[in-house]
Amino acid sequence: MVFLGLSVPQQVGAKRLLLSMVQHDGDQLHRRKVRIEGLAPEMGPTIAAFLAARLFSRAEEWVTISHDALLAHWVRLKEWIEDERASLAIARRIHLAAQLWDEGGRADESLLPIEAEAWIAWAASDDAPLLSANEHEFIEASRALAEEQRHEQSAIIKRLRRRQSVAIAAAVLAGAMVVATTAASVQAN
């Protein structure tokens, strides 16, 4: 079998690649194309091995699982899909969000900064499907926006604290003036 002929690091990469080629919609499994250009160069021998065994098909710069039957009957792949159902859902969310961001002119309004840090950690795990270059760019842009928002919030908090300090100082000063005025008024009487 092709998979068993790969080195351990290649097997990890192959699993991630295969999971990235699967789209899970409810109870339905579909093949998904992956752009070769967006993959790490070390994936080349793995892809070549699967292409030679006719488990993958290549059309120009895209590669995909050759037949829908492999999704249903390849036991190892079925087990990975079952084990990584949650991970596939995350990958699907990132894929759709990145696609909308890209199609919408990469506007900041389409970014998801709250989820970016979690996605970065998730994408680094050995069990996560591989992401496209566009999906990585989307996550990075979302992370950068989150960082920008944190800096803005920090600046707002500092400004509010300064205003609060000034208000407290003014209140203390006003209170002191009232006490001084009252004391002067009492002494004058």
Side-chain angles (χ1 to χ4, degrees), residues 1 7 18 21 30 45 56 62 67 94 103 118 120 125 134 137 153 158 165-166 175 177:
M1 169 145 222
S7 68
L18 282 158
M21 294 175 157
H30 305 282
F56 286 179
W62 300 93
H67 305 284
I94 293 169
E103 291 171 358
I120 289 168
S125 74
N134 186 53
E137 290 168 10
Q153 290 171 351
K158 286 178 185 177
S165 296
V166 169
M177 290 175 68

Side-chain angles (χ1 to χ4, degrees), residues 36-141:
I36 294 173
E37 179 183 295
L39 299 174
E42 58 268 13
M43 291 301 300
T46 302
I47 292 169
F50 280 89
L51 284 169
R54 305 184 121 206
L55 297 172
F56 286 179
S57 297
R58 181 175 181 166
E60 298 174 21
E61 72 268 7
W62 300 93
V63 66
T64 187
I65 295 171
S66 295
H67 305 284
D68 286 328
L70 291 172
L71 297 176
H73 302 293
W74 189 357
V75 176
R76 185 184 312 271
L77 181 57
K78 282 176 58 176
E79 289 172 356
W80 289 340
I81 291 168
E82 188 59 37
D83 292 346
E84 300 301 332
R85 225 174 251 280
S87 193
L88 289 170
I90 293 168
R92 178 86 171 129
R93 176 157 169 75
I94 293 169
H95 174 72
L96 292 174
Q99 185 177 4
L100 288 172
W101 171 69
D102 196 43
E103 291 171 358
R106 296 184 170 217
D108 284 354
E109 296 80 32
S110 299
L111 296 173
L112 299 171
I114 294 172
E115 299 176 58
E117 294 296 329
W119 286 344
I120 289 168
W122 167 84
S125 74
D126 284 344
D127 295 326
L130 296 175
L131 298 176
S132 69
N134 186 53
E135 291 162 347
H136 281 290
E137 290 168 10
F138 169 74
I139 292 171
E140 180 52 33

Side-chain angles (χ1 to χ4, degrees), residues 17 24 27 45 51 67 69 101 104 131 142 144 147 167:
L17 177 60
H24 191 271
D27 293 338
L51 284 169
H67 305 284
W101 171 69
L131 298 176
S142 293
E147 188 65 28

